[in-house]
Amino acid sequence: MRTEPSGVPGPDLRHHGDAEVRDDGAGLVDLAVNVRADTPPRWLREEIAGSLSSLAAYPDGRAARAAVAARHGLPVERVLLTAGAAEAFVLLARALKVRRPVVVHPQFTEPEAALRDAGHSVDRVLLRERDGFRLDPSAVPEDADLVVIGNPTNPTSVLHPAGTVAGLARPGRTLVVDEAFMDAVPGEREALAGRTDVPGLVVLRSLTKTWGLAGLRIGYVLAPPEIIAELERAQPLWPVSTPALAAARACVTPRALAEAGHAAHRIAGDRAHLVAGLTALAAHGVRVVGPARGPFVLVRVPEAAEVRHRLRDLGYAVRRGDTFPGLDQDWIRLAVRDRTTADGFLKALSAVLGAPVSPPREAAP
């Protein structure tokens, strides 16, 4: 684990998985984007459609904000609704007055991109493969007054212990934890959302991943009231549309939370199936970062750039890894899909690597 100073040239922070399935990739099997397949469900589409009769009125986010607050057992003053988690990163970068922001990588690149766009110099703490990309809080500089970390982390799929993440908190420091994929973890273990005992804690949540709402843009921030007030002042008027507000209310109901919980357990089983198949290719240089806990896995593959191109020829899009700081061009990220899709992908990958095709061995989730 090392700290990389500001100004070090790096990868394209604006590259995201959707680039793999645009234009000529539109017909490929999508393992590049971390949005749950077969979503949004019908009942959620109906809730959103029901809001369209109210489009003549300006959006009123009070009910949705109260619903999100109740879901986490918080007062509404600790909640801010946003147009996806990406907007929240921009608000944090523009509104907070910080001297030394630090981003823990590899992770989602938008936080650093937003900070740099806002004129900040950003230091990186790079987690290492030999440590399993796990966090050592002592690697974060003591004078960092803004620290950003994902949990579970995109793209490594590492789930850091809540106590270890909370250990990054300090007086005078804002600790931003991106929990965009936490609802894909059974029981949301290691979550910090709803905690009020960690000083300077800001938790970001997204509703786009589990519910397939990337095109609608809805997320939220949980933070101390004074931070929420600063972010709200930086936010434009009516930032969240009426359909997105309807989705926010619907996605935090007991019914929705139960469905998300069932989906998390199903994802864990499907992920174990995928990891077993990938592990069977270890003799051909394939290595999976584990234990994976998110709805995606990070995989080292020799000559991954060539492998990606050949997989496209066979009908599969995967996410390149070299645009994440701390990773090189031998990495790819794979979204977890159903077992039939995984078996088709494993067959294609085996063909690309020149490996014999065999059924993946089952593993415990």
Side-chain angles (χ1 to χ4, degrees):
M1 191 177 307
R2 71 181 190 274
T3 301
E4 188 174 78
S6 175
V8 173
D12 177 9
L13 300 177
R14 295 296 191 187
H15 181 92
H16 299 296
D18 61 321
E20 311 286 352
V21 290
R22 291 199 301 259
D23 302 328
D24 65 337
L28 300 177
V29 176
D30 180 9
L31 301 181
V33 176
N34 288 331
V35 172
R36 199 179 103 206
D38 301 321
T39 52
R42 180 175 178 178
W43 64 263
L44 181 53
R45 295 198 304 270
E46 290 173 350
E47 289 281 351
I48 295 168
S51 73
L52 299 182
S53 61
S54 302
L55 292 185
Y58 285 96
D60 183 349
R62 289 177 296 177
R65 188 175 184 180
V68 170
R71 180 256 196 269
H72 291 286
L74 295 171
V76 293
E77 293 80 11
R78 283 181 166 267
V79 176
L80 182 68
L81 303 177
T82 60
E87 189 207 7
F89 290 125
V90 172
L91 295 177
L92 288 163
R94 292 178 178 177
L96 300 186
K97 297 176 176 60
V98 295
R99 300 179 309 279
R100 190 180 184 188
V102 170
V103 179
V104 180
H105 286 288
Q107 79 147 358
F108 185 49
T109 54
E110 278 302 311
E112 179 174 328
L115 286 163
R116 291 185 181 278
D117 287 348
H120 297 285
S121 296
V122 183
D123 288 344
R124 298 170 179 166
V125 169
L126 300 179
L127 307 185
R128 297 179 299 194
E129 178 187 3
R130 68 172 177 264
D131 299 327
F133 296 108
R134 285 166 178 76
L135 173 67
D136 174 5
S138 67
V140 177
E142 279 296 322
D143 62 344
D145 56 355
L146 175 70
V147 177
V148 185
I149 185 169
N151 202 35
T153 304
N154 172 20
T156 63
S157 208
V158 169
L159 182 65
H160 304 291
T164 303
V165 177
L168 293 172
R170 300 283 189 280
R173 172 185 288 176
T174 301
L175 171 61
V176 179
V177 184
D178 177 7
E179 291 189 351
F181 296 99
M182 188 62 79
D183 57 358
V185 176
E188 295 195 7
R189 63 187 188 276
E190 314 304 345
L192 292 176
R195 292 273 296 270
T196 59
D197 60 324
V198 181
L201 174 65
V202 177
V203 174
L204 275 56
R205 287 286 183 109
S206 170
L207 297 175
T208 65
K209 314 300 184 184
T210 288
W211 297 110
L213 299 174
L216 194 62
R217 312 306 307 143
I218 179 65
Y220 54 89
V221 181
L222 308 175
E226 61 274 16
I227 293 180
I228 293 295
E230 288 290 328
L231 300 181
E232 198 165 15
R233 279 192 286 271
Q235 200 174 33
L237 290 173
W238 310 293
V240 180
S241 70
T242 295
L245 293 172
R249 293 194 303 273
C251 290
V252 296
T253 61
R255 169 189 178 176
L257 296 178
E259 182 173 323
H262 290 310
H265 284 284
R266 185 173 66 251
I267 289 167
D270 290 342
R271 182 182 59 234
H273 183 82
L274 173 62
V275 169
L278 293 167
T279 302
L281 295 171
H284 296 269
V286 175
R287 180 187 179 278
V288 185
V289 174
R293 295 292 184 244
F296 46 85
V297 295
L298 181 63
V299 184
R300 180 183 279 282
V301 183
E303 300 182 359
E306 176 62 22
V307 169
R308 283 193 302 108
H309 290 304
R310 293 183 63 189
L311 285 170
R312 290 181 74 87
D313 292 339
L314 295 176
Y316 292 88
V318 303
R319 171 66 158 91
R320 61 188 291 188
D322 60 331
T323 63
F324 293 100
L327 300 181
D328 59 28
Q329 57 187 350
D330 284 338
W331 292 96
I332 59 174
R333 189 195 68 196
L334 305 172
V336 174
R337 301 293 187 232
D338 63 89
R339 300 182 188 204
T340 299
T341 301
D343 287 345
F345 168 75
L346 290 167
K347 181 178 179 181
L349 179 61
S350 297
V352 168
L353 297 176
V357 178
S358 59
R361 296 188 300 273
E362 293 295 332

